[in-house]
Amino acid sequence: MAQRIFVLFFVFLGIISVAKAEIIPETRLSLNSPDGKQIVTFYQKVDIKGVKSLWYKVDFDGQPIVLESKLDIQIDNHIWELALAKKYDQPDNWCDILSFDKIETSSHNEMWKPIYGERSLVKDQYNAATIFFSRSDKSQYKMNIEVRAYNEGIAFRYSFPLHPNGIYHKIKSENTEFAMPHGTIAWFARWAQGPYEQKTLSAWTDEAERPLTLKIKDDLYACLTEAQEIEFPRTKFKLKCDDVLQTSMYSVADMVTPFATPWRVIMAAHRPGDLLENNDIILNLNEPNKLANCDWIKPGKLIRETTLTTGNAFACIDFSAKHNLQYILFDCNWYGAALDFNTDASKVVAPIDMPKVIAYGKEKGIGVWLYVNQQALQYQADKIFPIYKKWGVVGVKFGFVQFCTQGWATWLHELVRKAADNNLMVDIHDEYRPTGYSRTYSNLLSQEGIRGNEEFPSAEHNTTLPFTRMIAGAADYTVCYFDKRLKTTHAHQLALPVIFYSPLQSFYWYDKPSVIQEVVELEFFDNVPVTFDDTKVINDKIGQQVTIARRSGENWFVGTIGNDEPQTVAVPLGFLMPDKKYKAILYTDDDAVLTPTKVKVSTLIVDRNAVLKFQLKVKGGSAIRLLPATNADVKQLKRYKGEML
């Protein structure tokens, strides 16, 4: 009994100590988004011992998204601190003696036109604040918190002004916390190409990838992610305690002032589709395009050539010219054993007449991409990139790259810049996930970082990806069509290049021209673009059903996919122009169709008042191509009257 009283006494003292940690009034900042819905509140506290701490919280549309959470970054500069302050003890926690200096606010509002994207115009509008601090010792260290409030979400980062002695900071850990409302559910993935699970936060046993999508309640969703991670270790999210998440750096970072950490981004919306529609916030948090001439950057569709012969390359080029693909890719081992550091990626080892293939491709309007693995990239990039440019190669696919540490992250982004110097486009495969760098260096067309068709994921997985991985940006999903290992219907596959945005789309991943059958529905792949003027999310039931509509010029392309259950899906066409009729070419699963793929193609007249109704098969889907109808179309084609499709 005495022991219990003793414990309760110290718990009581702890409660008193926490209660007496008070907000320093002049540090309090409340920053609203331009529409007033996203609100971030920041303040510094001091406890009875004089120890200071930084805190924030986020609200959306009057509801809490992130509860009071701690901001903290730990830096090991004790050698310099001891020298400057003439101390010989270990340094305190870095943020504990930060003194508030001032707050500066600003606002920004502009429209910019990307080289390519999910939209042809991007709005970059936010209210901003910088909170200035300096350490109250003799070190002359300063740290600022930069905050932006967009209509799409909240972003903040730690920034460090130039130190008069130019010394570096060894960042041991960034411990930014995200205290979530109780009962929050996460779509959890352990690695970039991993499967997703729905988990309550307290059920986590490992770290989660970013973006991390969260359901706070039925009409309230959030996404935790990051932007502008260029020279910083990869960060995931770990569970600190029940309902409190914390950033987890893969390794330490050595930074020289001035510098800033990557942006921490908190998006919030009433529906998961809005999170995807609002993902331009990631691009907006990166620097504008730095390439003076981008005429050579051309998004497109490709087919890979895996047999690595001149004859088969010609067949791929002929197929591409016929089916409106822009590129072929020579995949792994064209230059020998790609995993061997002794292999020379400047020499063609496979029986490929590279000059002849590239010349034939140019005649047909088809460019050539080359796969190059980590080993050759690490030691030969400076040599091989100018050679590839001289050959007439248009792009390089980086394979099995390292990314997690600060050193590898810096190396990889420098590699993208070196490729740009040689007019080479880039596709990064394996575990790399984007944080908006393609805005700054637009030769980075796409990247993997997704569990795509290489691994034949389930239909449920595909209906989860648009609201998780795709928030980060383009993903090279590697669409398949004829492979018997597919776990979805063919109409489901047809919809994927609309569902999964990528300026470089890989089609027919495990197929080759000799086995591809000329079924009529391939015309959808032939006609679907890879970049768009507008994007609308119509249906957004995570893990159940997805409908996304994308506009290119006057034409719309619509993809719908379902999960592993049969279901009815309604697709309202209110995004179409008013007082205008459209020819809808529909591609649906139908077991009565006498082709190996069982896809029915039908054509109807519709307008913006129509609500198309689809009976999806198990693992099914549908694709739609919408074109302004001619007078002849209106006279000859049937008008949609609400029947089940």
Side-chain angles (χ1 to χ4, degrees):
M1 182 67 178
Q3 183 179 11
R4 182 182 177 189
I5 293 173
F6 181 77
V7 171
L8 289 174
F9 174 73
F10 277 95
V11 169
F12 177 71
L13 286 180
I15 293 172
I16 291 176
S17 176
V18 171
K20 288 190 176 181
E22 298 180 348
I23 294 175
I24 302 173
E26 60 268 26
T27 68
R28 187 179 181 90
L29 166 74
S30 185
L31 189 68
N32 294 13
S33 60
D35 65 4
K37 290 186 177 181
Q38 310 270 3
I39 303 175
V40 58
T41 304
F42 171 90
Y43 42 85
Q44 187 181 40
K45 288 183 176 181
V46 60
D47 65 14
I48 56 176
K49 295 182 179 180
V51 176
K52 296 174 182 178
S53 52
L54 307 175
W55 300 82
Y56 79 102
K57 59 182 181 178
V58 175
D59 297 284
F60 169 70
D61 207 11
Q63 301 181 79
I65 299 297
V66 178
L67 309 179
E68 183 179 72
S69 300
K70 192 173 183 180
L71 294 173
D72 179 67
I73 189 166
Q74 289 302 312
I75 300 172
D76 183 1
N77 283 338
H78 64 276
I79 295 175
W80 288 99
E81 290 196 2
L82 299 182
L84 293 169
K86 294 184 171 54
K87 294 181 180 178
Y88 297 94
D89 55 341
Q90 289 295 314
D92 49 27
N93 288 328
W94 208 86
C95 294
D96 288 357
I97 56 171
L98 286 177
S99 294
F100 170 77
D101 294 328
K102 63 179 178 178
I103 296 175
E104 292 182 354
T105 60
S106 62
S107 60
H108 180 86
N109 187 7
E110 71 167 340
M111 300 289 290
W112 59 277
K113 186 175 179 60
I115 306 301
Y116 50 77
E118 296 178 77
R119 298 154 202 90
S120 56
L121 283 175
V122 175
K123 188 172 187 177
D124 184 12
Q125 183 182 18
Y126 58 86
N127 293 323
T130 302
I131 308 133
F132 295 82
F133 294 94
S134 55
R135 277 176 57 102
S136 53
D137 56 15
K138 298 179 181 180
S139 66
Q140 301 185 65
Y141 289 138
K142 296 180 182 294
M143 185 184 82
N144 305 330
I145 304 292
E146 299 178 22
V147 189
R148 293 183 185 179
Y150 294 82
N151 293 341
E152 297 77 18
I154 300 299
F156 57 83
R157 65 180 179 180
Y158 308 85
S159 67
F160 296 83
L162 178 67
H163 190 280
N165 293 324
I167 57 180
Y168 77 94
H169 289 346
K170 180 179 181 180
I171 300 178
K172 297 188 296 182
S173 62
E174 182 198 321
N175 305 318
T176 302
E177 294 180 5
F178 307 84
M180 307 306 301
H182 182 66
T184 294
I185 295 173
W187 278 269
F188 177 99
R190 290 179 54 241
W191 69 98
Q193 297 181 79
Y196 282 91
E197 301 175 79
Q198 286 192 53
K199 288 177 175 281
T200 59
L201 304 188
S202 59
W204 286 22
T205 57
D206 203 345
E207 296 180 348
E209 262 291 354
R210 74 288 181 275
L212 176 65
T213 299
L214 305 161
K215 180 181 178 181
I216 297 172
K217 55 184 183 178
D218 286 343
D219 65 343
L220 194 59
Y221 293 81
C223 179
L224 308 181
T225 188
E226 65 183 338
Q228 207 180 38
E229 182 194 0
I230 300 171
E231 298 177 343
F232 205 77
R234 185 219 61 207
T235 303
K236 290 186 179 182
F237 298 102
K238 65 181 180 182
L239 183 68
K240 181 182 179 183
C241 56
D242 286 353
D243 300 321
V244 179
L245 304 178
Q246 187 179 66
T247 51
S248 177
M249 290 169 50
Y250 183 86
S251 62
V252 300
D254 289 320
M255 309 294 289
V256 178
T257 60
F259 72 93
T261 65
W263 292 96
R264 304 298 160 209
V265 183
I266 303 164
M267 302 172 66
H270 288 302
R271 54 188 294 264
D274 289 340
L275 297 175
L276 181 59
E277 287 189 14
N278 291 339
N279 68 349
D280 282 335
I281 188 175
I282 308 300
L283 296 176
N284 283 331
L285 288 163
N286 280 264
E287 294 184 22
N289 175 38
K290 289 189 174 182
L291 300 177
N293 176 19
C294 296
D295 293 345
W296 52 275
I297 299 175
K298 298 184 184 299
K301 298 173 278 190
L302 70 75
I303 185 171
R304 67 173 181 159
E305 208 292 283
T306 57
T307 53
L308 305 179
T309 66
T310 300
N312 284 309
F314 276 26
C316 284
I317 289 171
D318 290 339
F319 179 86
S320 297
K322 180 179 179 180
H323 286 280
N324 194 30
L325 307 182
Q326 287 69 48
Y327 303 113
I328 71 165
L329 164 73
F330 283 116
D331 212 347
C332 186
N333 297 329
W334 65 267
Y335 58 92
L339 299 179
D340 188 341
F341 278 104
N342 295 316
T343 302
D344 187 352
S346 69
K347 297 178 181 179
V348 181
V349 173
I352 302 169
D353 187 333
M354 192 67 75
K356 190 173 181 179
V357 170
I358 292 173
Y360 186 69
K362 287 182 178 179
E363 287 179 20
K364 297 282 188 173
I366 308 300
V368 174
W369 283 66
L370 299 178
Y371 175 97
V372 183
N373 210 55
Q374 159 83 30
Q375 283 82 351
L377 292 171
Q378 186 175 345
Y379 291 106
Q380 289 191 285
D382 291 332
K383 173 184 177 182
I384 60 179
F385 286 178
I387 291 174
Y388 296 166
K389 180 181 180 181
K390 185 177 180 180
W391 287 357
V393 171
V394 299
V396 180
K397 174 184 169 183
F398 299 171
F400 289 102
V401 295
Q402 299 293 325
F403 175 65
C404 296
T405 66
Q406 178 192 12
W408 284 122
T410 303
W411 169 81
L412 183 58
H413 290 102
E414 175 64 20
L415 211 60
V416 173
R417 296 192 289 271
K418 289 180 178 180
D421 291 340
N422 291 279
N423 287 12
L424 293 170
M425 294 177 283
V426 172
D427 180 21
I428 303 174
H429 259 233
D430 306 302
E431 282 292 293
Y432 173 81
R433 281 190 170 181
T435 62
Y437 197 60
S438 59
R439 180 187 180 187
T440 310
Y441 282 88
S442 299
N443 63 312
L444 175 55
L445 287 185
S446 193
Q447 49 272 309
E448 194 176 16
I450 188 171
R451 192 177 189 85
N453 260 351
E454 282 188 328
E455 299 174 83
F456 301 105
S458 68
E460 180 182 348
H461 176 81
N462 287 347
T463 56
T464 301
L465 288 173
F467 313 109
T468 51
R469 161 63 180 88
M470 297 309 299
I471 293 173
D476 188 6
Y477 178 91
T478 58
V479 176
C480 294
Y481 204 66
F482 290 100
D483 196 285
K484 293 180 179 180
R485 293 170 291 178
L486 285 173
K487 296 179 181 178
T488 70
T489 69
H490 287 85
H492 184 112
Q493 290 292 313
L494 284 175
L496 296 185
V498 180
I499 300 294
F500 303 135
Y501 162 75
S502 180
L504 185 72
Q505 284 278 6
S506 300
F507 282 90
Y508 309 106
W509 188 250
Y510 287 111
D511 304 321
K512 50 188 176 182
S514 61
V515 301
I516 294 174
Q517 302 178 54
E518 291 291 342
V519 288
V520 66
E521 70 269 15
L522 294 190
E523 67 185 26
F524 187 79
F525 283 164
D526 296 351
N527 287 288
V528 67
V530 297
T531 63
F532 301 92
D533 297 309
D534 198 6
T535 293
K536 303 288 185 186
V537 179
I538 311 302
N539 293 315
D540 57 356
K541 297 179 180 178
I542 306 180
Q544 299 179 48
Q545 62 176 243
V546 181
T547 302
I548 295 178
R550 300 188 191 268
R551 180 177 63 83
S552 176
E554 293 186 291
N555 302 334
W556 284 87
F557 297 81
V558 184
T560 296
I561 58 174
N563 63 4
D564 300 321
E565 301 292 334
Q567 54 189 296
T568 300
V569 175
V571 180
L573 302 183
F575 52 83
L576 295 176
M577 291 287 290
D579 303 320
K580 196 166 187 175
K581 292 181 173 59
Y582 288 79
K583 179 171 72 171
I585 308 171
L586 303 106
Y587 306 84
T588 53
D589 295 305
D590 189 338
D591 289 337
V593 175
L594 300 177
T595 67
T597 53
K598 304 294 184 183
V599 172
K600 178 183 177 181
V601 182
S602 52
T603 308
L604 298 167
I605 295 297
V606 299
D607 59 26
R608 73 191 315 264
N609 297 313
V611 179
L612 303 181
K613 299 176 183 176
F614 295 92
Q615 184 63 55
L616 297 188
K617 291 179 60 177
V618 172
K619 313 175 192 296
S622 70
I624 312 170
R625 185 179 171 208
L626 292 156
L627 315 171
T630 65
N631 291 333
D633 291 332
V634 174
K635 289 179 181 179
Q636 296 172 9
L637 299 174
K638 178 183 175 182
R639 184 179 179 87
Y640 179 70
K641 296 182 179 179
E643 62 268 27
M644 190 67 67
L645 299 168

